[in-house]
Amino acid sequence: MSARLVMKLQVAAAVATTPDVLHLTLVHPRRPELPAWTAGAHVDLRLPHGRVRQYSLCGDPADRGRYEIAIKREDAGRGGSAWVHGNLGIGSVADVSAPRNNFPLAPAARRHILVAGGIGVTPLLAMARTLATDRAEFALHVCARSAADAPLLADVRAICGDRLQIWFADDGRRLDPTRLGDFTVDTHVYACGPRRLTDAVQSALDAQGWPPEQVHVEHFAPLSDETFQPEPFEARIASTGALLQVPADRSLLDVLREHGVSQPASCELGVCGACECGYRDGTVIHRDAVLSVGKRRDRMTPCVSRAQGSVILDL
């Protein structure tokens, strides 16, 4: 598990922002300030039986007194969201990590286009708060089935005003990703939500010639590809020269642990970035849903990613 700081935080508020999304406000029972964070960050929520789930912070990064997360109940999921909905109410105590940010605002951008699908609005709401405070140029597109199914809609409307565009399928309005806006060298796009939405955004912008480093995507689910057949490969640790054999049925992370290499980890599904490490040489098969195109040139997630033949690790 990750060595990240874990705090026992108390639920100060628990509000159903939609019938299946619970909005939680978490505070420290004794300390007035929590660790600082930036828009796009997430925290680990540690559940019983060793389960860990990642949730994006949706509050105000300038407010050090609280963390806010919104969790959609997924009855067909792995059980974490159902446990939260059934067990975390006002006064409950939750084990929460310090924030980590794999989905930050681009510091060089002067214009920002945010695209949210359903519960994917959570990190983008924090971005909108920051951008509004900074008087930056931005637009937020929110996609949902209806107003009743759009999480945190009142907050989104209050923060964004006329910079908000809403796309409700029940009203016959669907986002056309090809019309998000014209490309400029200082415009960045951020998308979070179901893979069908983020894939459509990436495909449309790629076809229009947007550089991949100006399109940022965050997923809440691991990559699923039933046709992928893992192959064995070798991993050499550059600092020690140790050569590790990674069988087809085991992850690189497992093999590193077996050989005494302590590598932080959390979700072990390729969606949180906690186990990210460097590599110097080799053809990596990236199976994660967190690293950007730019980072994949020399970074990988050993919990799910593999290599063709061999890889040299920079640990």
Side-chain angles (χ1 to χ4, degrees):
M1 300 304 294
S2 170
R4 295 164 66 187
L5 170 70
V6 176
M7 303 164 286
K8 291 193 175 296
L9 302 185
Q10 193 167 48
V11 178
V15 178
T17 179
T18 74
D20 60 357
V21 175
L22 184 64
H23 180 197
L24 299 176
T25 300
L26 306 167
V27 300
H28 198 287
R30 296 181 304 279
R31 299 174 186 168
E33 288 192 345
L34 295 169
W37 59 284
T38 54
H42 71 267
V43 294
D44 293 347
L45 190 61
R46 297 175 183 266
L47 310 178
H49 311 298
R51 292 176 295 176
V52 181
R53 300 293 184 268
Q54 289 74 38
Y55 297 107
S56 295
L57 293 168
C58 59
D60 184 356
D63 185 352
R64 295 284 302 277
R66 66 181 66 197
Y67 289 161
E68 294 182 41
I69 56 177
I71 301 171
K72 181 179 180 180
R73 182 179 180 122
E74 300 281 4
D75 291 325
R78 295 177 290 143
S81 63
W83 185 90
V84 169
H85 277 244
N87 292 275
L88 290 187
I90 294 177
S92 299
V93 175
D95 290 337
V96 181
S97 75
R100 173 191 293 273
N101 199 342
N102 297 311
F103 189 49
L105 287 164
R110 296 177 60 86
R111 179 168 167 258
H112 308 261
I113 301 173
L114 317 178
V115 183
I119 193 61
V121 75
T122 49
L124 301 182
L125 176 56
M127 290 182 178
R129 294 183 194 274
T130 295
L131 294 169
T133 298
D134 294 344
R135 300 176 182 262
E137 183 181 351
F138 77 97
L140 173 59
H141 298 262
V142 169
C143 307
R145 181 179 299 116
S146 66
D149 297 301
L152 305 165
L153 185 57
D155 288 338
V156 169
R157 282 175 163 155
I159 292 162
C160 296
D162 59 8
R163 291 169 290 200
L164 174 64
Q165 295 193 46
I166 293 176
W167 308 93
F168 292 151
D170 284 357
D171 295 338
R173 288 174 50 80
R174 293 184 180 274
L175 173 69
D176 180 356
T178 65
R179 303 182 68 180
L180 283 173
D182 296 331
F183 165 74
T184 65
V185 294
D186 56 3
T187 298
H188 284 242
V189 177
Y190 313 79
C192 185
R195 189 170 291 273
R196 64 182 181 276
L197 172 66
T198 57
D199 284 352
V201 170
Q202 285 186 301
S203 296
L205 298 184
D206 181 63
Q208 293 175 352
W210 284 70
E213 59 269 20
Q214 289 180 231
V215 181
H216 313 273
V217 172
E218 183 167 76
H219 300 288
F220 292 137
L223 184 65
S224 176
D225 183 359
E226 296 178 357
T227 66
F228 178 70
Q229 297 294 326
E231 298 287 343
F233 65 97
E234 293 181 343
R236 185 179 297 278
I237 301 176
S239 60
T240 65
L243 183 63
L244 312 181
Q245 302 296 326
V246 184
D249 61 349
R250 298 188 64 195
S251 72
L252 173 56
L253 181 62
D254 284 341
V255 174
L256 288 170
R257 286 171 171 162
E258 181 182 82
H259 288 78
V261 179
S262 179
Q263 186 69 17
S266 182
C267 73
E268 301 193 23
L269 293 169
V271 298
C272 77
C275 68
E276 175 188 333
C277 69
Y279 69 93
R280 296 185 182 180
D281 192 26
T283 301
V284 172
I285 305 170
H286 293 284
R287 305 286 302 157
D288 67 275
V290 62
L291 294 183
S292 66
V293 172
K295 287 189 109 179
R296 288 183 174 188
R297 297 187 184 104
D298 58 7
R299 307 290 291 176
M300 67 182 295
T301 52
C303 65
V304 294
S305 295
R306 307 185 68 81
Q308 290 181 359
S310 64
V311 64
I312 299 178
L313 300 177
D314 192 3
L315 300 179

